[in-house]
Amino acid sequence: MGLVHRLWSREDVAARILAGEHLVVYNDLLLRIPQSWLAAHPGGALAILHFVGRDAADEIDAYHAGDTLRTIKKYVVGTVDTSQHVWNPLLPPIITPRHVSFRLAYEILLVPKDSSLLQKESGPSLATLHPPPSSLSPKVQARHSAAYKELHKRITDAGLYKTRYFTGYGPELARYLLLAASSAYAYKHGWLITSAVFLGLLWHQLVFTVHDLGHMGVTHDWTIDRLLAIFIADFIGGLSVGWWVDNHNVHHLVTNHPSHDPDIEHFPFLAISTAFFKSLWSSYYKRTMLFDRFTAVLISFQHKLFYILLAFGRFNLYANAYSFLFRTAFDTPKARGGRWSWWLEVIGVTFFWCWFGAVLKGSGSWSNALIYLVVSHVVTSPLHLQIVLSHFSMSTADLGPTESFPHRQLRTTTDVICPSYLSFVHGGLHLQVTHHLFPRLPRHNLREASALVKQYAKEQGLVYAEFGFIEGNGDVVNILKAVADQARLIGVVADKEIQEAISKKGD
């Protein structure tokens, strides 16, 4: 118990992190996260690793209910020095660059590689744990954080964490049944395209409820929410809610960071920032996102291919989901779900392809099956468009660990303005700013909560971004075109370098 009362200096914390310990600050408490919990953490290891050496109080409170927060005390090893009224954060080791920088021309293999030009990054050191100077004021960020805590209390006291089962999910359940019945009726009468459209619309709408369940935003009980999510996502939709939660948690915590947010890492097809031209290391996918000549060509056309890529986005979800299930087959069982959730997902995906395969087989011919497959999947594309609208046109800058949770979410996220009678099209998730600040908040309460968030942003001098659907599409396409133009320019320069190198060889 003596350790609990120990006061840790910043230097002490840094030394222990370099020794391999995972230390996270929670308000003025220091938590030591054992390796065993890192592997078993239901939210994934990355959700912890991104906050080693940092104060993660706002993120922890946003993602965990009261019963979970009460278990934190068993990880407390002391308090930290906050003599300056704020914890001076360290840079988590996972942030340390691990990529190898290539010049574009060398990757084409037409020019000899000079090993002196390949800059391999080393592991973390005391120097790399200290973040570079920040343009942000720690006191201002602390003020944002304190006001956010008050806002969170107001939202809780207003009862906005209570799920609207009848007025919220009642109409949605009726909509799901109507779409399913319409698809089955049309299929029975041989109206295959109509059936495929209704099935695609059903999948599109069901994803919003899976999203809520993945955030424990429906019953607020992990086991019940996960069972419902697996039934909908895996058995009916053929996806993996386990993959989605693993991916989505990281997206929420490091939103729009080119090296760490998997939701903006779509190389080699899309890049929303020229930062990707540096062949960044992805901490989520654990690979270098290589920017070579082939990638430069694809990126140079991305604004023209954007909607085509979105149309087939569901196939990418399959690839990500199944690769995740394969990768995690022998992982340490999570504290919640153990192995049963993995096996249930595998059974669910198998069941999906059995019933959907039967639907395709019963369409009469391979050409009809292909049309049914494509139409049903393309119809779901508005979901992918809505997801990217909320982030693709927003900042991708890394402002360092000094940035507070609310400042980061407001800087990297925007709402899509939508009248209440059309909100079902977006599943209510067009209110992404409020959702990112309060991820466990039931979706049907976001509109009411957003009014409080807007007031908070105004009082704190922060920008609450929002735009219309058409305007948002234009902004995203313009961002993609600007990056595409830069990629095209780099390609031209690389071609010139190659020609010069060939000429020198000829001489």
Side-chain angles (χ1 to χ4, degrees), residues 418-460:
C418 174
S420 57
Y421 63 86
L422 284 178
S423 63
F424 77 92
V425 176
H426 299 276
L429 290 176
H430 56 292
L431 299 170
Q432 279 287 298
V433 174
T434 301
H435 169 61
H436 265 251
L437 288 170
F438 304 101
R440 293 184 297 108
L441 203 66
R443 176 165 45 96
H444 305 101
N445 297 334
L446 288 176
R447 186 176 291 276
E448 186 175 347
S450 68
L452 298 177
V453 173
K454 288 179 179 179
Q455 181 182 346
Y456 161 84
K458 183 177 181 180
E459 292 172 351
Q460 294 298 309

Side-chain angles (χ1 to χ4, degrees), residues 46 49-50 94-95 98 250 254 257-262 265 280-287 289:
L46 287 175
L49 293 176
H50 278 297
I94 197 171
I95 301 295
R98 293 179 55 191
V250 177
V254 287
H257 193 301
S259 289
H260 306 295
D261 182 358
E265 295 176 347
L280 300 175
W281 169 265
S282 168
S283 61
Y284 183 83
Y285 292 110
K286 294 178 175 56
R287 62 177 173 83
M289 297 178 288

